Amino acid sequence: MTGIFPDRWKESAIKPLPKIPQPSTFQDYRPISLLHHLSKVAESVFTKRLRRSLQTKLQTHQFGYTEALGTTDALVEAVDDWTLALDKRETMCASILLKDFSKAFDRKQHDRLVRKMIDLGCNSTDIAIAGSFLTNRTQQVIVKGQRSEVENSDVGVPQGTLSCPIFWLIFADDLQPPIPTVKYADDITSYVITSGNITTMHHTRATAIDVSLGDRI
C-alpha cells in the first residue's frame, strides 16, 4: 500500500557462477544474486500482479519470459516467415539482422525503467514499488566463503530476482523497428524480404539496420 520496499530486503549476496567449463576471466562468470526469503515472497506477489496488468499493454513478438512461449516458438515464427517468402518466385533474398544486448540486466537504468512503466500506464503503486525495489540496493560478492566489502548498486537489476525478467520486458518493449521483428528476451532478430535486384537488396538492408539499431533503450 505504501509502495516502499524495505531496505533490509534489498541486500544481495552475489555468487559468481561459471558460464563455461574452465573460466579464466571475470567475464566468464554470471553474477547471481542471493536474496532474503521475505524479499522473494514480496516479489512473487508483486510480479504476478504486474504481469496481469501488463497482459494487454506490452507489444507482441516477444517470446522470452512469456507464459506458454519459448525458443521453439520464436524460431518457428521467424523461419516460417522466411521460408514462405523465399518460396515465392519473385523473392530474391531475406536479409536478417541478429542483435544481442551485452549485460542487458546489469546495465538497465532505473529512472528509464520507471518512465517506461509510466508510459505503459502501469498502476501508480506498482511503479512506486518498482522504483523502491531498484534504488538504494547493496551487494557483496561471496567466493569460497570469503565476502567482499558491501557496495552500493545504483544501476541494473539483480540477476536471480523474480522481477528481473518482467522488468526487461518493460524496458525493451518499445524497441520495435518498423520491419518484421522477433524478440526472445535480449536477443532480437529483424529481417527484410526483398524482391529487387542485388543493389536494391543492399540498400534495403542498410536502411533496416540503421532503423533497427536506433537507441530506444
Side-chain angles (χ1 to χ4, degrees), residues 85-160:
L86 293 173
D87 281 342
K88 298 178 181 179
R89 184 173 299 177
E90 65 271 18
T91 302
M92 295 185 64
C93 184
S95 302
I96 302 167
L97 176 66
L98 307 176
K99 303 179 290 294
D100 177 32
F101 288 92
S102 177
K103 303 289 185 181
F105 294 147
D106 299 333
R107 295 178 176 176
K108 280 204 286 288
Q109 298 180 23
H110 302 155
D111 57 338
R112 291 193 178 189
L113 177 62
V114 169
R115 288 203 303 270
K116 287 173 183 283
M117 292 183 69
I118 294 173
D119 292 341
L120 283 171
C122 293
N123 180 280
S124 59
T125 303
D126 289 341
I127 295 172
I129 293 174
S132 178
F133 173 80
L134 292 171
T135 55
N136 298 322
R137 298 195 68 89
T138 60
Q139 62 184 28
Q140 65 176 170
V141 179
I142 302 177
V143 177
K144 296 181 180 180
Q146 300 297 313
R147 293 175 177 263
S148 71
E149 294 182 0
V150 176
E151 298 285 350
N152 293 326
S153 176
D154 56 3
V155 68
V157 177
Q159 293 196 37

Side-chain angles (χ1 to χ4, degrees), residues 6 15-16 29 38 42 46 74 80 89 101 116 125 167 186 207:
K15 184 176 182 180
Y29 292 87
L38 289 177
F46 168 64
D80 187 52
R89 184 173 299 177
F101 288 92
K116 287 173 183 283
T125 303
F167 283 157
D186 58 343
T207 303

